[in-house]
Amino acid sequence: MQALRERGFARYDAGRLGITRTDSTAADLAAIREVFAALPPDPYAPGTNRFRRYSHAVYLPWKDELSWIPGTPDPVHGTVTDFSQGEEDLEHPRPRRVLPDIPEALRGNALLVRLLRWDIEQVLALRNLARRPLWAGVHLIKLAVDDAGRQAVSSPDCLHQDGGSAGTFTFAHLISRTNVIGGQNVIATQGSAGLQPDDPWTDVLADFTLTEPLDGYAVHDCKVSHYVGPIRAGSEPGPGERSILIVGIAPYVPQL
């Protein structure tokens, strides 16, 4: 991932991931899409037409061991996982936020695990982390609209960084895109965080739209900012949706 090292971002497709179209891959992708089809609404953004699940995993490089962290029991969703976006302010802590976990049945999906391991391999190739656990936040996010007069909005709705840490990397893998307009991705300089892509002070590095299954990109969080635009329903009959897997990876930081 020379581009990720030098520019702070990189794009890729299924071929770059080493994934070919086979019956087993198609079946695994279909199983992932079934979970996306039933994602619960974002509890912290009513009316945005955004749906999501989220879980944590940890990877031990010296054992080549990937393990999902159990969630907290919840009467509505079964289990939930704590979620934070950006750096925590210890003097003014945010209220605790939790999101529904990724279903247990999906955690063993061969394609999902392969994508997660590929992301981890890229980080290990860029950083000397052979003796440190890696922490992964695995996010299923769907933007969905049911008529042409509505739109679905990502969060945050501006160019942003996921904390700005030098150790944080974010990977995105498109799962499906059906009957939608918009949803373009923008990569800009670090100093453009907080701006809109069309702001005259924004320094845009790349502007593209993911269209094919498993198309994706990666960003080194401290070097660039990134954004995904809202979607609207396309011209075909029926609803529109854009489903994407987001994986945030960082070295585990001891709390003591």
Side-chain angles (χ1 to χ4, degrees):
M1 273 236 175
Q2 193 69 16
L4 183 57
R5 182 191 303 275
E6 295 178 354
R7 298 188 297 167
F9 71 96
R11 293 182 59 187
Y12 47 81
D13 55 18
R16 180 70 180 274
L17 300 174
I19 296 175
T20 57
R21 295 183 180 182
T22 64
D23 290 344
S24 61
T25 298
D28 289 336
L29 182 58
I32 295 173
R33 286 174 172 170
E34 286 181 8
V35 174
F36 271 95
L39 287 182
D42 186 337
Y44 302 102
T48 60
N49 297 313
R50 186 167 68 243
F51 305 80
R52 59 183 182 171
R53 287 185 177 274
Y54 179 78
S55 289
H56 292 151
V58 66
Y59 177 76
L60 304 181
W62 55 90
K63 287 189 173 183
D64 188 26
E65 181 178 287
L66 179 66
S67 179
W68 294 90
I69 298 175
T72 303
D74 180 82
V76 176
H77 299 292
T79 60
V80 295
T81 288
D82 284 32
F83 173 77
S84 64
Q85 189 158 5
E87 296 290 349
E88 291 295 328
D89 185 339
L90 298 180
E91 293 186 2
H92 304 92
R94 298 176 180 177
R96 179 173 180 255
R97 294 195 297 170
V98 298
L99 291 174
D101 268 324
I102 295 173
E104 188 70 31
L106 187 63
R107 297 182 181 194
N109 181 285
L111 178 58
L112 179 66
V113 172
R114 185 170 182 177
L115 293 172
L116 182 52
R117 280 183 165 272
W118 188 87
D119 297 344
I120 290 170
E121 287 171 5
Q122 311 317 302
V123 175
L124 290 175
L126 291 170
R127 310 275 293 189
N128 183 19
L129 298 170
R131 293 176 176 83
R132 295 187 65 180
L134 287 181
W135 186 272
V138 185
H139 216 151
L140 311 184
I141 303 176
K142 178 176 68 176
L143 300 179
V145 285
D146 52 14
D147 62 64
R150 306 182 70 185
Q151 69 174 11
V153 182
S154 188
S155 176
D157 188 21
C158 63
L159 285 155
H160 64 280
Q161 296 173 290
D162 297 326
S165 165
T168 300
F169 295 81
T170 301
F171 296 80
H173 305 277
L174 184 71
I175 300 302
S176 62
R177 178 188 170 97
T178 305
N179 190 30
V180 297
I181 299 170
Q184 81 275 17
N185 291 97
V186 178
I187 310 296
T189 57
Q190 176 187 4
S192 299
L195 302 177
Q196 292 293 323
D198 57 358
D199 191 296
W201 290 278
T202 299
D203 188 1
V204 173
L205 302 174
D207 186 338
F208 55 90
T209 301
L210 304 178
T211 58
E212 298 299 319
L214 305 185
D215 277 357
Y217 65 92
V219 298
H220 189 182
D221 193 53
C222 68
K223 293 184 177 181
V224 297
S225 57
H226 54 100
Y227 165 87
V228 59
I231 65 161
R232 301 183 305 279
S235 58
E236 300 175 11
E241 60 85 20
R242 177 185 183 273
S243 296
I244 195 158
L245 168 69
I246 303 290
V247 180
I249 300 175
Y252 176 74
V253 179
Q255 301 299 307
L256 297 175

